[in-house]
PDB file of all heavy atoms in Angstrom:
ATOM      1  N   LEU A  45      -5.743  -3.343  12.100  1.00 85.00           N
ATOM      2  CA  LEU A  45      -5.313  -2.403  13.122  1.00 85.00           C
ATOM      3  C   LEU A  45      -5.101  -3.150  14.424  1.00 85.00           C
ATOM      4  O   LEU A  45      -6.014  -3.785  14.934  1.00 85.00           O
ATOM      5  CB  LEU A  45      -6.369  -1.315  13.332  1.00 85.00           C
ATOM      6  CG  LEU A  45      -6.479  -0.267  12.247  1.00 85.00           C
ATOM      7  CD1 LEU A  45      -7.705   0.607  12.491  1.00 85.00           C
ATOM      8  CD2 LEU A  45      -5.229   0.577  12.199  1.00 85.00           C
ATOM      9  N   ILE A  48      -4.116   1.689  18.477  1.00 87.00           N
ATOM     10  CA  ILE A  48      -3.897   3.120  18.237  1.00 87.00           C
ATOM     11  C   ILE A  48      -3.651   3.758  19.597  1.00 87.00           C
ATOM     12  O   ILE A  48      -4.447   3.606  20.514  1.00 87.00           O
ATOM     13  CB  ILE A  48      -5.118   3.785  17.560  1.00 87.00           C
ATOM     14  CG1 ILE A  48      -5.386   3.147  16.208  1.00 87.00           C
ATOM     15  CG2 ILE A  48      -4.900   5.281  17.419  1.00 87.00           C
ATOM     16  CD1 ILE A  48      -6.639   3.682  15.514  1.00 87.00           C
ATOM     17  N   PHE A  50      -2.617   7.395  21.633  1.00 88.00           N
ATOM     18  CA  PHE A  50      -2.463   8.846  21.601  1.00 88.00           C
ATOM     19  C   PHE A  50      -1.255   9.192  22.440  1.00 88.00           C
ATOM     20  O   PHE A  50      -1.204   8.866  23.633  1.00 88.00           O
ATOM     21  CB  PHE A  50      -3.712   9.535  22.161  1.00 88.00           C
ATOM     22  CG  PHE A  50      -4.916   9.367  21.287  1.00 88.00           C
ATOM     23  CD1 PHE A  50      -5.735   8.259  21.417  1.00 88.00           C
ATOM     24  CD2 PHE A  50      -5.218  10.309  20.319  1.00 88.00           C
ATOM     25  CE1 PHE A  50      -6.846   8.091  20.610  1.00 88.00           C
ATOM     26  CE2 PHE A  50      -6.320  10.152  19.501  1.00 88.00           C
ATOM     27  CZ  PHE A  50      -7.139   9.048  19.646  1.00 88.00           C
ATOM     28  N   LEU A  56      -0.030  10.227  16.819  1.00 88.00           N
ATOM     29  CA  LEU A  56      -0.747   8.964  16.981  1.00 88.00           C
ATOM     30  C   LEU A  56       0.224   7.845  16.666  1.00 88.00           C
ATOM     31  O   LEU A  56       0.947   7.901  15.675  1.00 88.00           O
ATOM     32  CB  LEU A  56      -1.927   8.868  16.013  1.00 88.00           C
ATOM     33  CG  LEU A  56      -3.183   9.629  16.344  1.00 88.00           C
ATOM     34  CD1 LEU A  56      -4.208   9.435  15.231  1.00 88.00           C
ATOM     35  CD2 LEU A  56      -3.763   9.192  17.658  1.00 88.00           C
ATOM     36  N   ARG A  79     -12.048   9.393   2.690  1.00 80.00           N
ATOM     37  CA  ARG A  79     -12.929   8.339   2.188  1.00 80.00           C
ATOM     38  C   ARG A  79     -13.596   8.802   0.897  1.00 80.00           C
ATOM     39  O   ARG A  79     -14.105   9.902   0.794  1.00 80.00           O
ATOM     40  CB  ARG A  79     -13.985   7.996   3.222  1.00 80.00           C
ATOM     41  CG  ARG A  79     -14.890   6.865   2.747  1.00 80.00           C
ATOM     42  CD  ARG A  79     -15.718   6.306   3.839  1.00 80.00           C
ATOM     43  NE  ARG A  79     -14.849   5.687   4.831  1.00 80.00           N
ATOM     44  CZ  ARG A  79     -15.265   5.310   6.028  1.00 80.00           C
ATOM     45  NH1 ARG A  79     -16.500   5.486   6.385  1.00 80.00           N
ATOM     46  NH2 ARG A  79     -14.427   4.751   6.870  1.00 80.00           N
ATOM     47  N   ARG A 109      -4.433  15.483  10.913  1.00 68.00           N
ATOM     48  CA  ARG A 109      -5.888  15.597  10.761  1.00 68.00           C
ATOM     49  C   ARG A 109      -6.275  16.997  10.298  1.00 68.00           C
ATOM     50  O   ARG A 109      -7.106  17.172   9.430  1.00 68.00           O
ATOM     51  CB  ARG A 109      -6.578  15.248  12.080  1.00 68.00           C
ATOM     52  CG  ARG A 109      -8.059  15.407  12.049  1.00 68.00           C
ATOM     53  CD  ARG A 109      -8.652  14.314  11.176  1.00 68.00           C
ATOM     54  NE  ARG A 109     -10.034  14.600  10.914  1.00 68.00           N
ATOM     55  CZ  ARG A 109     -10.604  14.487   9.725  1.00 68.00           C
ATOM     56  NH1 ARG A 109      -9.910  14.080   8.700  1.00 68.00           N
ATOM     57  NH2 ARG A 109     -11.842  14.759   9.542  1.00 68.00           N
ATOM     58  N   ILE A 117     -13.922  12.076   6.293  1.00 78.00           N
ATOM     59  CA  ILE A 117     -13.599  10.932   7.134  1.00 78.00           C
ATOM     60  C   ILE A 117     -12.338  10.318   6.542  1.00 78.00           C
ATOM     61  O   ILE A 117     -12.255  10.094   5.338  1.00 78.00           O
ATOM     62  CB  ILE A 117     -14.749   9.915   7.134  1.00 78.00           C
ATOM     63  CG1 ILE A 117     -15.987  10.538   7.773  1.00 78.00           C
ATOM     64  CG2 ILE A 117     -14.341   8.644   7.863  1.00 78.00           C
ATOM     65  CD1 ILE A 117     -17.224   9.686   7.659  1.00 78.00           C
ATOM     66  N   LEU A 118     -11.337  10.060   7.376  1.00 81.00           N
ATOM     67  CA  LEU A 118     -10.068   9.540   6.876  1.00 81.00           C
ATOM     68  C   LEU A 118     -10.006   8.023   7.005  1.00 81.00           C
ATOM     69  O   LEU A 118     -10.395   7.461   8.018  1.00 81.00           O
ATOM     70  CB  LEU A 118      -8.897  10.166   7.634  1.00 81.00           C
ATOM     71  CG  LEU A 118      -8.767  11.683   7.514  1.00 81.00           C
ATOM     72  CD1 LEU A 118      -7.565  12.164   8.302  1.00 81.00           C
ATOM     73  CD2 LEU A 118      -8.664  12.114   6.067  1.00 81.00           C
ATOM     74  N   PRO A 137     -10.430  -3.484  11.934  1.00 68.00           N
ATOM     75  CA  PRO A 137     -10.119  -4.386  13.049  1.00 68.00           C
ATOM     76  C   PRO A 137      -9.982  -5.823  12.559  1.00 68.00           C
ATOM     77  O   PRO A 137     -10.445  -6.170  11.471  1.00 68.00           O
ATOM     78  CB  PRO A 137     -11.334  -4.231  13.972  1.00 68.00           C
ATOM     79  CG  PRO A 137     -12.424  -3.776  13.074  1.00 68.00           C
ATOM     80  CD  PRO A 137     -11.788  -2.980  11.976  1.00 68.00           C
ATOM     81  N   PRO A 141     -15.767  -5.898  15.868  1.00 59.00           N
ATOM     82  CA  PRO A 141     -16.029  -5.688  17.292  1.00 59.00           C
ATOM     83  C   PRO A 141     -17.458  -5.189  17.517  1.00 59.00           C
ATOM     84  O   PRO A 141     -18.122  -4.734  16.588  1.00 59.00           O
ATOM     85  CB  PRO A 141     -15.007  -4.612  17.671  1.00 59.00           C
ATOM     86  CG  PRO A 141     -14.823  -3.830  16.414  1.00 59.00           C
ATOM     87  CD  PRO A 141     -14.965  -4.838  15.292  1.00 59.00           C
ATOM     88  N   ALA A 142     -17.904  -5.273  18.754  1.00 61.00           N
ATOM     89  CA  ALA A 142     -19.220  -4.756  19.095  1.00 61.00           C
ATOM     90  C   ALA A 142     -19.234  -3.233  18.950  1.00 61.00           C
ATOM     91  O   ALA A 142     -20.227  -2.654  18.537  1.00 61.00           O
ATOM     92  CB  ALA A 142     -19.591  -5.163  20.516  1.00 61.00           C
ATOM     93  N   LEU A 143     -18.122  -2.580  19.269  1.00 64.00           N
ATOM     94  CA  LEU A 143     -17.983  -1.138  19.115  1.00 64.00           C
ATOM     95  C   LEU A 143     -16.832  -0.857  18.174  1.00 64.00           C
ATOM     96  O   LEU A 143     -15.752  -1.415  18.323  1.00 64.00           O
ATOM     97  CB  LEU A 143     -17.710  -0.474  20.467  1.00 64.00           C
ATOM     98  CG  LEU A 143     -18.823  -0.576  21.506  1.00 64.00           C
ATOM     99  CD1 LEU A 143     -18.345  -0.021  22.841  1.00 64.00           C
ATOM    100  CD2 LEU A 143     -20.063   0.165  21.040  1.00 64.00           C
ATOM    101  N   LEU A 144     -17.051   0.020  17.213  1.00 67.00           N
ATOM    102  CA  LEU A 144     -16.025   0.343  16.233  1.00 67.00           C
ATOM    103  C   LEU A 144     -15.538   1.769  16.462  1.00 67.00           C
ATOM    104  O   LEU A 144     -16.312   2.717  16.341  1.00 67.00           O
ATOM    105  CB  LEU A 144     -16.586   0.198  14.817  1.00 67.00           C
ATOM    106  CG  LEU A 144     -15.627   0.476  13.683  1.00 67.00           C
ATOM    107  CD1 LEU A 144     -14.507  -0.567  13.680  1.00 67.00           C
ATOM    108  CD2 LEU A 144     -16.353   0.437  12.361  1.00 67.00           C
ATOM    109  N   PRO A 145     -14.253   1.963  16.830  1.00 71.00           N
ATOM    110  CA  PRO A 145     -13.748   3.326  17.021  1.00 71.00           C
ATOM    111  C   PRO A 145     -13.447   3.987  15.679  1.00 71.00           C
ATOM    112  O   PRO A 145     -13.051   3.342  14.720  1.00 71.00           O
ATOM    113  CB  PRO A 145     -12.455   3.108  17.820  1.00 71.00           C
ATOM    114  CG  PRO A 145     -12.024   1.733  17.442  1.00 71.00           C
ATOM    115  CD  PRO A 145     -13.269   0.949  17.150  1.00 71.00           C
ATOM    116  N   TYR A 146     -13.660   5.304  15.618  1.00 73.00           N
ATOM    117  CA  TYR A 146     -13.304   6.065  14.424  1.00 73.00           C
ATOM    118  C   TYR A 146     -13.032   7.504  14.827  1.00 73.00           C
ATOM    119  O   TYR A 146     -13.443   7.954  15.896  1.00 73.00           O
ATOM    120  CB  TYR A 146     -14.393   5.980  13.348  1.00 73.00           C
ATOM    121  CG  TYR A 146     -15.708   6.615  13.722  1.00 73.00           C
ATOM    122  CD1 TYR A 146     -16.015   7.916  13.331  1.00 73.00           C
ATOM    123  CD2 TYR A 146     -16.645   5.930  14.472  1.00 73.00           C
ATOM    124  CE1 TYR A 146     -17.215   8.496  13.684  1.00 73.00           C
ATOM    125  CE2 TYR A 146     -17.845   6.497  14.824  1.00 73.00           C
ATOM    126  CZ  TYR A 146     -18.128   7.791  14.420  1.00 73.00           C
ATOM    127  OH  TYR A 146     -19.307   8.378  14.763  1.00 73.00           O
ATOM    128  N   LEU A 147     -12.299   8.225  13.974  1.00 74.00           N
ATOM    129  CA  LEU A 147     -12.002   9.634  14.216  1.00 74.00           C
ATOM    130  C   LEU A 147     -13.047  10.471  13.488  1.00 74.00           C
ATOM    131  O   LEU A 147     -13.269  10.305  12.297  1.00 74.00           O
ATOM    132  CB  LEU A 147     -10.609   9.993  13.723  1.00 74.00           C
ATOM    133  CG  LEU A 147      -9.454   9.363  14.497  1.00 74.00           C
ATOM    134  CD1 LEU A 147      -8.130   9.700  13.838  1.00 74.00           C
ATOM    135  CD2 LEU A 147      -9.448   9.825  15.936  1.00 74.00           C
ATOM    136  N   THR A 148     -13.679  11.387  14.214  1.00 77.00           N
ATOM    137  CA  THR A 148     -14.709  12.233  13.610  1.00 77.00           C
ATOM    138  C   THR A 148     -14.066  13.364  12.820  1.00 77.00           C
ATOM    139  O   THR A 148     -12.843  13.581  12.872  1.00 77.00           O
ATOM    140  CB  THR A 148     -15.607  12.850  14.706  1.00 77.00           C
ATOM    141  OG1 THR A 148     -14.822  13.766  15.463  1.00 77.00           O
ATOM    142  CG2 THR A 148     -16.199  11.775  15.596  1.00 77.00           C
ATOM    143  N   ALA A 149     -14.890  14.108  12.120  1.00 73.00           N
ATOM    144  CA  ALA A 149     -14.408  15.253  11.348  1.00 73.00           C
ATOM    145  C   ALA A 149     -13.828  16.332  12.258  1.00 73.00           C
ATOM    146  O   ALA A 149     -13.075  17.178  11.802  1.00 73.00           O
ATOM    147  CB  ALA A 149     -15.542  15.830  10.503  1.00 73.00           C
ATOM    148  N   TYR A 150     -14.167  16.287  13.552  1.00 75.00           N
ATOM    149  CA  TYR A 150     -13.666  17.283  14.504  1.00 75.00           C
ATOM    150  C   TYR A 150     -12.411  16.819  15.234  1.00 75.00           C
ATOM    151  O   TYR A 150     -11.930  17.473  16.134  1.00 75.00           O
ATOM    152  CB  TYR A 150     -14.772  17.612  15.519  1.00 75.00           C
ATOM    153  CG  TYR A 150     -16.017  18.117  14.836  1.00 75.00           C
ATOM    154  CD1 TYR A 150     -17.111  17.273  14.703  1.00 75.00           C
ATOM    155  CD2 TYR A 150     -16.080  19.386  14.280  1.00 75.00           C
ATOM    156  CE1 TYR A 150     -18.257  17.696  14.047  1.00 75.00           C
ATOM    157  CE2 TYR A 150     -17.210  19.818  13.604  1.00 75.00           C
ATOM    158  CZ  TYR A 150     -18.298  18.968  13.502  1.00 75.00           C
ATOM    159  OH  TYR A 150     -19.416  19.393  12.848  1.00 75.00           O
ATOM    160  N   GLY A 151     -11.891  15.641  14.864  1.00 71.00           N
ATOM    161  CA  GLY A 151     -10.679  15.133  15.473  1.00 71.00           C
ATOM    162  C   GLY A 151     -10.912  14.388  16.770  1.00 71.00           C
ATOM    163  O   GLY A 151      -9.962  14.108  17.500  1.00 71.00           O
ATOM    164  N   ASN A 152     -12.151  14.072  17.075  1.00 75.00           N
ATOM    165  CA  ASN A 152     -12.469  13.340  18.298  1.00 75.00           C
ATOM    166  C   ASN A 152     -12.516  11.844  18.011  1.00 75.00           C
ATOM    167  O   ASN A 152     -12.862  11.436  16.914  1.00 75.00           O
ATOM    168  CB  ASN A 152     -13.842  13.778  18.851  1.00 75.00           C
ATOM    169  CG  ASN A 152     -13.869  15.241  19.190  1.00 75.00           C
ATOM    170  OD1 ASN A 152     -12.904  15.778  19.723  1.00 75.00           O
ATOM    171  ND2 ASN A 152     -14.970  15.908  18.884  1.00 75.00           N
ATOM    172  N   LEU A 153     -12.223  11.062  19.023  1.00 75.00           N
ATOM    173  CA  LEU A 153     -12.371   9.618  18.920  1.00 75.00           C
ATOM    174  C   LEU A 153     -13.796   9.292  19.333  1.00 75.00           C
ATOM    175  O   LEU A 153     -14.271   9.732  20.383  1.00 75.00           O
ATOM    176  CB  LEU A 153     -11.378   8.895  19.817  1.00 75.00           C
ATOM    177  CG  LEU A 153     -11.436   7.373  19.796  1.00 75.00           C
ATOM    178  CD1 LEU A 153     -11.065   6.857  18.404  1.00 75.00           C
ATOM    179  CD2 LEU A 153     -10.501   6.780  20.827  1.00 75.00           C
ATOM    180  N   SER A 154     -14.510   8.546  18.507  1.00 76.00           N
ATOM    181  CA  SER A 154     -15.886   8.191  18.791  1.00 76.00           C
ATOM    182  C   SER A 154     -16.078   6.709  18.587  1.00 76.00           C
ATOM    183  O   SER A 154     -15.225   6.025  18.015  1.00 76.00           O
ATOM    184  CB  SER A 154     -16.824   8.985  17.874  1.00 76.00           C
ATOM    185  OG  SER A 154     -18.163   8.799  18.274  1.00 76.00           O
ATOM    186  N   LEU A 155     -17.182   6.179  19.073  1.00 73.00           N
ATOM    187  CA  LEU A 155     -17.504   4.756  18.927  1.00 73.00           C
ATOM    188  C   LEU A 155     -18.811   4.610  18.179  1.00 73.00           C
ATOM    189  O   LEU A 155     -19.745   5.366  18.377  1.00 73.00           O
ATOM    190  CB  LEU A 155     -17.608   4.089  20.303  1.00 73.00           C
ATOM    191  CG  LEU A 155     -16.348   4.132  21.152  1.00 73.00           C
ATOM    192  CD1 LEU A 155     -16.636   3.617  22.551  1.00 73.00           C
ATOM    193  CD2 LEU A 155     -15.233   3.343  20.512  1.00 73.00           C
ATOM    194  N   LYS A 156     -18.859   3.605  17.335  1.00 72.00           N
ATOM    195  CA  LYS A 156     -20.068   3.356  16.544  1.00 72.00           C
ATOM    196  C   LYS A 156     -20.586   1.989  16.886  1.00 72.00           C
ATOM    197  O   LYS A 156     -19.872   1.053  17.031  1.00 72.00           O
ATOM    198  CB  LYS A 156     -19.688   3.443  15.069  1.00 72.00           C
ATOM    199  CG  LYS A 156     -20.791   3.212  14.116  1.00 72.00           C
ATOM    200  CD  LYS A 156     -20.252   3.620  12.780  1.00 72.00           C
ATOM    201  CE  LYS A 156     -20.648   3.024  11.568  1.00 72.00           C
ATOM    202  NZ  LYS A 156     -20.056   3.334  10.395  1.00 72.00           N
TER     203      LYS A 156
END
Side-chain angles (χ1 to χ4, degrees):
L45 286 171
I48 299 176
F50 292 87
L56 282 178
R79 182 167 296 168
R109 177 71 192 136
I117 295 172
L118 299 180
L143 296 173
L144 181 65
Y146 65 96
L147 292 175
T148 67
Y150 302 104
N152 299 320
L153 180 64
S154 189
L155 300 172
K156 180 169 149 186

